[in-house]
Each structure stands twice: as C-alpha cells, then as structure tokens.
Amino acid sequence: MSGLRIEGLTVRFGRGRRAMAAVDGVSLTVPPGRIVSLVGESGSGKSTLARAIVGLVPPTAGQVLLDDEDITSDTARRRRIQMVFQDPYASLNPRMTVGASLDEALQAQARTGACLTREQRGQETGRLLDLVALSSEHAGMLPGRLSGGQRQRVALARALAVRPDVIIADEITSALDVSVQGAVLNLVRDIQARFGTSMLFISHNLEVVRYVSDVIAVMYLGRIVEAAPTEELLSRPRHPYTRALLAAVPRLGRSWREIDTPSGDLDAPDPHHPPRGCRFHPRCPVGPRVNASRSVCLALDPQLDAARRLHRAACHFADDLAAAGGLMAMGPTRDAPGIAEERDGPSNGGHASLAAVAATDKETATKEQR
C-alpha cells in the first residue's frame, strides 16, 4: 500500500492582474489504504487539484509525493496514480468497445512491466469486468449502449487495469441516479477493501462522502479550511464553512427557513481577487458582518496558524465554535444513498449490493438507448 502526500501545491492561471490561484498552497495527505474525501462547493478548486496531482495541469509550486518520493515532474511514475472522471461518456472513446478500451490500458501497463500476450490481455479484461460487476458480453459493446452507471464502472475498471497505488475519483456519482449511486459507492468500498488502494474521493455530496471516507477535507476558494476523521468532522465541525455545508444537507421535517446558511453574499468571492484576511469572512454567519468585535478576520489570514488548531481549522474563532457544540447535522449511520436498507454494504458477499440494483441499471441503459 502506498500513501499520497501533497505539499504546498499551487496552481495559477493567467498573468498580471487577472491571474488566479485556483489552488493556493494546499497540503493534504492520503494515508496508505485509506479513503480521503475532498468536499466543497463548485469552484472551490477540487477538480483542479486532482488534475494537478495526475499531471493534467502543471502546478505552479509545491510537490506531489508518493511514498515520500517526489513525482511532481516524473511522468512515468505518475501512472501509479489514476483518475476516474465525472463524466464517463466523455472520458471513454465512443468508437472503441469496452474491451478495446481496457486492452489499450493493459498495453500501456505492459510498456512499464511484463508484456502480456493477446490471450492474457483478454483474460485480464474479463477479470476486470468481473471485478466491477459487469459480464464478459459488455466487452463487445460501445459506451453508447451502456447506462451511466455501467460506463462509470468501465472507467473504474480501466483505472484498475494499470494496477495503481492511488485512485482519484472526481465526482464519479454526481451524474447518476440515486439507486445507481449506491451500487457504485459499494463497488468503491469493495475494491478499496479488497486491494487496499489509497483513494482521493472528490464530491460535493456530504451523504456520499460520509459513506465512503475515512477522512474528510473541506476546500474553500482554493484552500483546505478543515480536515479531520469523518465522524469527528461531521459531529464536531470547527470551521463555519463546514458547519454551513452540514446545515444545508436536506433533512425530512425541516423547513428551509431553519437552515443556517452563510450570511452576506451568497455567492463565493471572485477568485481573481480573494478577500483579505479570512477568505470566508464576507459570507461567515459568525464573522465581522454579524459581530463587529471580530475585526481580526478582516486583516489576519487564519491559514497562517491553522496547524495549531484542532482539525487544522482556518478560523480565528474555531475554539469558540467548538465550545458552542457541533451541529450533529448527519446521523451516526453510514448507509449508501438509495440503498439504506442494505446495512451490511459491500461486505455482504462483495457484489450483493450491486445485484440489488442491477435491474435499475439495466432499465436505465434501455431508456438511454431509446
């Protein structure tokens, strides 16, 4: 098992006054054999960070380390990190069958290791399809004949073909039906448990993150503002942005008027010109907009001494929020969205949960073909 570590990673776009730091000095660790989830609203820099890790976007500064070895500029060794994208149809060649896509990945792996014969690659393709709960007949299909959930499983199988040490999953369930989301999430947990693969799981859905992750990191305007073990962060959040995200999770029996949303500007600030001091202060429900005595937020960046606070919270008043108590916005259970009745998850026979939604998956594929 291998661990991924990111040190001070920065990604800048543009020049001069219109330059923008989409990722600003991010440091994050994915321990060996663990799933670390990255959450935040759209535009916070999550996908840019993922692309910088795998080398699709050149970093301006910082390091990407795998097993404590710098691979920032080592293209060959970065193949040990594979990425599964949000839109599987866009990431799969529409003119290549599923089997051909997997065979291409296997040939790429062969260039860095032992060469496989055509027969061996065929056997490996069948093994990969079985691993993601697809039958061998899918090998001859084009992506257009598959449902969204099936395409995402193919994309995951292609990533596994090169036997990666780390997988980055970027919003892989956001475009799927709720029932199919549950199947894919159970598959992710099953694969991680079986192979001990480290994973960076990116999502804006806290229910999804809660189900799969060991650690959650919260990202806002290009920076990590809080990180902690899953249950600890969900029950005792230290940063007001994290609390706002948790409070916005829909719950039965609660009116929208009860949701503790950010005060002030509802939209995030212009990333070309981030606010001075705390970047969240224009929207903070406990900051200087509602409490004038907290003017320190306007001038001093809380990121500078975040390391000394619990959860590494980038908030000057994180300890005060902790004293006020957590939100307990999400209950103690960790059921996959859409299949909450299956308490045992992937441990119940590996693909049992996948079989539970197979009919839905097949029906979805039929509708899309029409």
Side-chain angles (χ1 to χ4, degrees), residues 249-319:
V249 174
R251 287 185 291 173
L252 291 176
R254 184 177 65 165
S255 167
W256 65 269
R257 295 181 179 87
E258 302 176 53
I259 299 176
D260 182 22
T261 56
S263 63
D265 299 326
L266 293 180
D267 294 329
D270 181 0
H272 294 91
H273 306 287
R276 290 186 58 194
C278 175
R279 295 191 171 192
F280 189 57
H281 80 73
R283 310 170 72 194
C284 184
V286 297
R289 291 186 66 96
V290 296
N291 189 337
S293 65
R294 294 180 171 176
S295 58
V296 64
C297 303
L298 300 174
L300 185 61
D301 188 353
Q303 199 83 36
L304 299 175
D305 56 351
R308 69 174 180 81
R309 303 188 191 99
L310 196 62
H311 298 184
R312 301 178 67 90
C315 175
H316 295 298
F317 301 97
D319 294 337

Side-chain angles (χ1 to χ4, degrees), residues 62-181:
Q63 293 178 304
V64 177
L65 300 102
L66 193 61
D67 292 334
D68 294 325
E69 297 182 14
D70 188 0
I71 62 169
T72 309
S73 56
D74 191 334
T75 304
R77 298 183 66 187
R78 280 203 185 191
R79 289 181 179 174
R80 295 168 61 188
I81 305 174
Q82 289 295 306
M83 185 169 175
V84 182
F85 296 89
Q86 178 177 352
D87 185 356
Y89 192 72
S91 62
L92 295 172
N93 189 328
R95 297 189 177 185
M96 292 180 67
T97 64
V98 169
S101 293
L102 295 180
D103 185 74
E104 184 179 51
L106 291 170
Q107 291 185 56
Q109 169 67 6
R111 286 195 288 269
T112 61
C115 185
L116 300 177
T117 64
R118 178 177 296 181
E119 182 180 356
Q120 289 173 325
R121 293 200 305 272
Q123 294 173 351
E124 183 66 6
T125 295
R127 186 189 73 84
L128 290 168
L129 289 174
D130 180 68
L131 185 62
V132 297
L134 293 175
S135 65
S136 57
E137 66 182 25
H138 288 97
M141 295 183 178
L142 293 172
R145 295 187 58 194
L146 305 178
S147 71
Q150 290 171 334
R151 292 173 197 151
Q152 202 60 281
R153 293 188 222 170
V154 172
L156 187 56
R158 186 177 60 177
L160 292 169
V162 298
R163 302 182 184 273
D165 295 318
V166 180
I167 292 178
I168 298 177
D170 185 13
E171 299 273 14
I172 63 173
T173 62
S174 63
L176 305 179
D177 292 339
V178 174
S179 58
V180 180
Q181 283 184 19

Side-chain angles (χ1 to χ4, degrees), residues 1 9 38 40-41 44 46 63 65 73 95 103 108 137 147-148 182 221 233 240-241 253 259 292 311 333 348 370:
M1 294 187 289
L9 199 67
L38 188 63
E41 61 192 318
S44 59
K46 306 184 301 297
Q63 293 178 304
L65 300 102
S73 56
R95 297 189 177 185
D103 185 74
E137 66 182 25
S147 71
L221 216 60
L233 184 138
Y241 179 62
I259 299 176
H311 298 184
T333 59
N348 186 16
R370 292 173 182 172

Side-chain angles (χ1 to χ4, degrees), residues 179 182-183 186 189 211 334-358:
S179 58
N186 274 335
R189 290 185 64 182
Y211 180 67
R334 297 179 69 190
D335 297 316
I339 50 173
E341 68 278 4
E342 295 187 27
R343 301 282 179 181
D344 294 333
S347 62
N348 186 16
H351 297 312
S353 57
L354 296 175
V357 297

Side-chain angles (χ1 to χ4, degrees), residues 1-4 30-36 66-67 80 131 160 163-167 187-200 214:
M1 294 187 289
S2 300
L4 174 68
V30 181
R34 297 297 188 93
I35 298 179
V36 174
L66 193 61
D67 292 334
R80 295 168 61 188
L131 185 62
L160 292 169
R163 302 182 184 273
D165 295 318
V166 180
I167 292 178
L187 175 61
V188 168
R189 290 185 64 182
D190 185 27
I191 289 173
Q192 192 276 333
R194 187 182 303 185
F195 300 105
T197 306
S198 305
M199 183 175 292
L200 179 61
D214 299 299

